Amino acid sequence: MKIIDAKVIVTCPGRNFVTIKITTDQGLYGIGDATLNGRELAVASYLQDHLIPCLIGRDASRIEDIWQFFYRGAYWRRGPVGMTAIAAIDVALWDLSLIHISE
């Protein structure tokens, strides 16, 4: 189950909400919340510019491996923007895994 696409969705019903949608080659997708109050667009930019390019082509079932790669391998680590972005990817991948198991 390879990741073929990931999109950042920013909506604004009064304030910004950020969501990531990760899609696989099997047509399945998972979503994760990436909203960080007051820094929503920073998280959206970090996902779009730095993390999503590294997701494409990876095996979506290797959730822990992907988390470790981003946590230990990123230039900016352990700050609120980076951790929110990684958490959103993590939740989206777990969402994908639950969909995959239930089918």
Side-chain angles (χ1 to χ4, degrees):
M1 189 166 56
K2 297 287 181 194
I3 297 169
I4 59 166
D5 190 33
K7 293 191 182 331
V8 176
I9 302 161
V10 179
T11 62
C12 188
R15 71 179 182 109
N16 292 321
F17 289 96
V18 182
T19 303
I20 185 168
K21 179 180 178 183
I22 299 174
T23 307
T24 69
D25 58 353
Q26 296 179 358
L28 301 173
Y29 68 89
I31 58 171
D33 178 49
T35 304
L36 176 64
N37 292 333
R39 296 291 180 257
E40 300 90 353
L41 298 180
V43 177
S45 178
Y46 187 58
L47 282 164
Q48 190 65 46
D49 297 339
H50 300 287
L51 300 185
I52 288 175
C54 297
L55 271 178
I56 305 303
R58 289 187 169 268
D59 183 348
S61 66
R62 298 194 44 118
I63 300 168
E64 180 66 22
D65 183 54
I66 291 170
W67 190 92
Q68 291 289 339
F69 175 76
F70 286 139
Y71 183 75
R72 298 188 185 284
Y75 180 75
W76 296 286
R77 294 194 306 211
R78 299 182 187 101
V81 170
M83 292 307 296
T84 301
I86 292 170
I89 290 171
D90 194 49
V91 169
L93 292 173
W94 280 110
D95 187 32
L96 258 170
S97 74
L98 293 175
I99 292 168
H100 185 68
I101 290 169
S102 67
E103 287 193 339

